[in-house]
Amino acid sequence: MEETTNQRVLVLADLEALENEHDKTNAFLVEHSSAILDVANFEIGQVTENDKVLLYLCDSNIKTILPKLAKLGCAIGFLPHPEATQARSGYKVPKDTKEAFEELLNSEREVETGILTCNEEIVLNYVVIGEMVTFLTKKSSRKNIYYRMLRFFKYLKRLVNIRALPFTVQVEDKTPIETAATDILIVQYAHNSIVSRIFVSKELSSERLFHTFIFTPRSVLQLTRSYIVKLLLGAGQKNKAFKFLSRLKTEDLTISSVQEFKCNIDGKYTNVKELKFVFESSFNQIPSDSIQYEVESKDNSSSKTFQVKNLPKGEARKEMVRKRLPFITHASADEYKELFTQLRENARPSQNYVILMILSVILATLGVFANSSPVIIGAMILAPLMSPIISFSMGVLRQDRELMKNSFITILVGVGVGYLFAILFTLITPINQINAEITSRIEPNIIDLGIAVVSGAAGAYAFSKEEIAKTLAGVAIAVALVPPLAVSGIGLAWLNFDIFFGAFLLLITNLTGMVLAAAFTFLMTGYSPFKLAKKGLLISLAVVLSISIPLGYGFFKVVEENKIIRSLNGTEINNNILENVILESRKPFVISLDVLAKSMPDDAEIDNIKREIEQIVGEDVTLKAAIRLKR
């Protein structure tokens, strides 16, 4: 082998383990190294500061030998000993011994890096407090997403017993932080953990700094969501799913607690009350080719990180420590207070509420008569019914009688005013013809209930999140309430009770669906414990299920009507083609359509077309036919 005059390549090895390597690998090491030293008989005098020393040792031997070699100042590289699991992961050692040896042999790079210790024990890979972080960051040998999901659901049983512990975090000379956490992860290098790769570069740092990640999830659901995101997006995704993580990048750290806690140092568990992290010394590492170092300035202060604003403190800390991690995220005291102040205010009818209700119903009524969707949309935007419905939902969820009463009265005031003005404007309007905007709202079905549920969920979520309230809260409920209210009022004014009851059923469907969905959304965002919310949710669900019976019947009617339309559209009768089929009414059965003909058909041909249609649908039909001649 070729080597410089002053530098030797020495392999310090566990000879017994090295004998199990492939013969070609052993021969290659013998040929290209100056000497292979037996760790069992090793003396520090066998090495000089100018040597390259490549370690083929188990983790425990590395922890013993590394500080001695570091003091000597020689260059140090790592080979993949079968029992060097932590060193291989921590220093990113290639799996193949021959490949790793060649990389280190040919490398011209040397980087000064620190030896991190925890309670005076060298850390080769990681230190973990808690169990969830180990699971979330553990690499699986099987990459099948279904297997990994199954593995996660098996682990869910442990989630219900997770409890945060009180910790005091002392970072260098800063004021100690009294906080609580479920898990804490400490790694020296960014590539060591999936969690660290989410937030920092995969490059190793030549600084004497290490990373600390403090887990403070507010619910099991939040942890579950972060795991799903990790499955779908993988590492390296800086996403909001992990916002419960706080991050430190420092040169020393002390973590203590008033009670004993379990920690995992490089795979070995121990129970302690305090962990103290410092750098014992530095050594010159020869990195493998797969590692890219980012060379930092010697002034570490510019690269230090203290992202701790999300750490629970004060009452939030006490709340986390007091009980096990809840299934859903509970709203904080500030969020709870702010939302309830707003909801109680919205539950009372005001002058602005009544005026906006009058204007929106008048606009919706005129839009229905004009058969104009844009006008009706304008009425939806104006309608103020969102506020009392959301307040009523919260009252139902938390069994707050006063909130329910006030918001229900406000809803009744809005609906009553709406009916009054819808009837008045219908009576003074000379139009009395049923159009598409009316017919589309007098036969509600399950699909309409689905729309109501989504609208209610969107409205409640918008109210619970201040940053999106202004963009969603004005429309989500109004879309489903004002038009049927106006149509129902038109039906009353005309004394057409089919229109009235059909539109009224849609109105009640939307109202009850929204209340149930909004209450459930508030439950999922943590504004009520399930024990308190159970009664209100069950009553709301029972009401919605009872309304679903006629809606289900309406849905089957829609399906049947679509079948009739599909069976007629494109049908050819005596060289005449039926197009643009519309089923206007079932009782009586009225169908409008276009007849595409080569020449103008006479009355006999029209009667024949009508008879053919009646045979297809199986009922007597009133036919409205428009004749179009083929060119």
Side-chain angles (χ1 to χ4, degrees):
M1 63 162 284
E2 293 184 9
E3 54 181 274
T4 63
T5 305
N6 297 321
Q7 187 177 53
R8 298 179 298 167
V9 177
L10 304 176
V11 177
L12 180 55
D14 173 1
L15 294 185
E16 185 177 341
L18 191 59
E19 287 178 0
N20 295 324
E21 291 282 353
H22 196 278
D23 290 341
K24 290 184 178 180
T25 300
N26 277 311
F28 187 84
L29 264 63
V30 170
E31 180 183 353
H32 291 85
S33 64
S34 303
I36 297 179
L37 308 177
D38 184 3
V39 69
N41 303 314
F42 175 69
E43 294 181 3
I44 196 65
Q46 296 174 271
V47 181
T48 70
E49 63 179 348
N50 296 321
D51 293 333
K52 271 187 180 183
V53 182
L54 310 183
L55 305 182
Y56 186 83
L57 303 174
C58 65
D59 287 329
S60 59
N61 280 340
I62 290 174
K63 291 186 178 185
T64 302
I65 295 293
L66 188 59
K68 298 178 181 179
L69 295 175
K71 289 180 180 178
L72 191 64
C74 60
I76 302 171
F78 299 92
L79 296 173
H81 187 286
E83 294 180 16
T85 308
Q86 304 303 332
R88 284 181 0 231
S89 175
Y91 295 106
K92 208 172 184 181
V93 180
K95 295 180 180 179
D96 182 76
T97 302
K98 183 173 178 292
E99 176 190 342
F101 181 79
E102 282 187 286
E103 285 187 4
L104 298 176
L105 184 67
N106 299 322
S107 176
E108 297 181 357
R109 298 189 297 164
E110 289 185 19
V111 181
E112 183 180 354
T113 187
I115 299 177
L116 179 65
T117 64
C118 174
N119 289 0
E120 300 183 348
E121 178 182 349
I122 292 175
V123 178
L124 297 176
N125 194 8
Y126 63 82
V127 176
V128 171
I129 301 170
E131 296 185 2
M132 272 308 302
V133 64
T134 304
F135 175 74
L136 287 171
T137 61
K138 186 177 180 181
K139 295 179 181 178
S140 173
S141 59
R142 295 171 63 177
K143 295 189 176 182
N144 185 298
I145 191 170
Y146 299 106
Y147 164 77
R148 292 158 75 185
M149 287 293 293
L150 179 63
R151 173 174 166 264
F152 177 72
F153 284 116
K154 287 181 178 179
Y155 206 81
L156 281 177
K157 292 180 181 178
R158 295 191 186 183
L159 286 175
V160 298
N161 295 316
I162 291 178
R163 187 187 297 270
L165 293 176
F167 290 106
T168 301
V169 179
Q170 174 70 61
V171 183
E172 300 174 359
D173 57 352
K174 296 184 178 294
T175 304
I177 302 171
E178 300 287 339
T179 187
T182 59
D183 301 83
I184 301 176
L185 167 68
I186 298 94
V187 291
Q188 185 173 354
Y189 302 121
H191 69 257
N192 290 29
S193 162
I194 288 175
V195 170
S196 56
R197 293 199 298 270
I198 288 172
F199 291 94
V200 295
S201 169
K202 291 184 181 180
E203 298 176 341
L204 298 185
S205 173
S206 57
E207 307 164 310
R208 286 166 57 104
L209 300 175
F210 59 92
H211 303 279
T212 303
F213 298 92
I214 305 175
F215 288 63
T216 56
R218 294 173 63 182
S219 67
V220 171
L221 192 62
Q222 190 179 36
L223 270 177
T224 306
R225 184 172 67 247
S226 65
Y227 181 79
I228 300 299
V229 169
K230 183 186 82 95
L231 282 181
L232 297 178
L233 301 181
Q237 300 296 327
K238 297 181 180 181
N239 55 76
K240 294 182 180 179
F242 290 88
K243 63 183 179 181
F244 55 80
L245 280 177
S246 296
R247 177 191 165 205
L248 300 168
K249 187 179 179 184
T250 59
E251 58 185 348
D252 66 63
L253 173 76
T254 301
I255 299 173
S256 58
S257 179
V258 294
Q259 60 191 80
E260 200 171 61
F261 58 89
K262 181 189 289 187
C263 73
N264 178 351
I265 304 175
D266 284 340
K268 184 176 70 175
Y269 287 92
T270 183
N271 291 322
V272 295
K273 283 191 174 183
E274 181 179 272
L275 294 175
K276 187 171 184 177
F277 296 86
V278 294
F279 281 101
E280 179 180 297
S281 59
S282 299
F283 74 98
N284 297 321
Q285 183 188 352
I286 310 169
S288 66
D289 290 345
S290 58
I291 297 176
Q292 296 295 321
Y293 267 90
E294 56 177 14
V295 180
E296 306 287 350
S297 63
K298 293 184 178 180
D299 180 14
N300 285 345
S301 61
S302 62
S303 300
K304 292 178 181 179
T305 302
F306 303 95
Q307 297 175 355
V308 295
K309 66 178 182 179
N310 292 328
L311 286 179
K313 303 178 186 72
E315 287 300 321
R317 170 182 175 270
K318 293 179 181 178
E319 184 68 22
M320 279 193 69
V321 172
R322 191 176 297 127
K323 55 187 178 181
R324 290 179 297 183
L325 196 66
F327 179 74
I328 59 175
T329 303
H330 289 173
S332 66
D334 290 340
E335 291 171 330
Y336 185 91
K337 181 180 179 181
E338 184 177 343
L339 179 62
F340 261 73
T341 300
Q342 183 182 3
L343 292 181
R344 292 190 186 282
E345 184 178 331
N346 292 341
R348 298 182 180 89
S350 64
Q351 179 179 329
N352 290 336
Y353 170 80
V354 174
I355 290 174
L356 285 177
M357 195 67 220
I358 292 171
L359 293 175
S360 63
V361 171
I362 292 173
L363 195 59
T365 305
L366 295 176
V368 168
F369 283 130
N371 204 24
S372 172
S373 296
V375 175
I376 294 175
I377 292 172
M380 296 171 183
I381 296 172
L382 273 179
L385 276 173
M386 159 73 85
S387 300
I389 291 174
I390 294 299
S391 297
F392 185 75
S393 301
M394 182 64 84
V396 169
L397 185 73
R398 295 191 58 84
Q399 295 297 291
D400 188 324
R401 294 180 181 275
E402 183 181 359
L403 186 59
M404 279 194 290
K405 183 186 75 172
N406 291 339
S407 52
F408 186 69
I409 290 173
T410 304
I411 293 170
L412 286 181
V413 168
V415 172
V417 167
Y419 270 122
L420 176 62
F421 280 85
I423 292 170
L424 287 176
F425 268 79
T426 301
L427 293 176
I428 64 176
T429 302
I431 301 173
N432 58 5
Q433 183 177 0
I434 297 176
N435 58 33
E437 291 293 345
I438 294 176
T439 55
S440 65
R441 292 178 174 87
I442 60 177
E443 293 185 352
N445 55 66
I446 291 294
I447 295 175
D448 296 299
L449 179 60
I451 295 170
V453 167
V454 174
S455 297
Y461 188 75
F463 259 83
S464 66
K465 304 295 179 181
E466 184 180 356
E467 63 271 20
I468 61 173
K470 292 181 180 178
T471 59
L472 287 181
V475 182
I477 303 299
V479 165
L481 283 173
V482 173
L485 175 59
V487 171
S488 182
I490 290 170
L492 271 181
W494 286 350
L495 297 180
N496 186 327
F497 292 104
D498 286 338
I499 293 177
F500 167 72
F501 284 117
F504 183 73
L505 178 59
L506 178 58
L507 178 66
I508 297 300
T509 296
N510 292 336
L511 181 61
T512 55
M514 289 171 190
V515 169
L516 175 63
F520 184 75
T521 302
F522 279 134
L523 174 68
M524 297 306 293
T525 48
Y527 285 94
S528 175
F530 181 74
K531 189 176 293 186
L532 178 63
K534 182 168 60 175
K535 180 179 178 181
L537 286 175
L538 288 175
I539 293 173
S540 299
L541 181 61
V543 173
V544 169
L545 289 176
S546 64
I547 291 175
S548 297
I549 297 172
L551 296 180
Y553 174 71
F555 179 73
F556 287 121
K557 283 178 62 179
V558 170
V559 172
E560 186 180 344
E561 289 171 3
N562 285 333
K563 286 181 180 179
I564 293 171
I565 292 171
R566 286 200 305 270
S567 67
L568 293 178
N569 256 327
T571 300
E572 185 175 341
I573 301 175
N574 296 336
N575 295 322
N576 299 309
I577 300 175
L578 307 184
E579 294 182 342
N580 301 325
V581 179
I582 298 174
L583 182 56
E584 292 188 358
S585 172
R586 290 295 300 268
K587 292 182 181 180
F589 211 103
V590 179
I591 294 178
S592 66
L593 50 77
D594 293 348
V595 178
L596 189 60
K598 291 182 178 179
S599 59
M600 183 62 68
D602 56 23
D603 291 344
E605 287 180 286
I606 295 296
D607 289 340
N608 184 51
I609 291 173
K610 180 175 179 293
R611 284 194 298 272
E612 291 286 343
I613 290 173
E614 288 175 340
Q615 287 182 359
I616 293 172
V617 303
E619 291 190 39
D620 292 335
V621 171
T622 299
L623 186 64
K624 296 180 180 180
I627 310 299
R628 292 192 293 117
L629 297 180
K630 295 180 182 179
R631 294 183 179 179

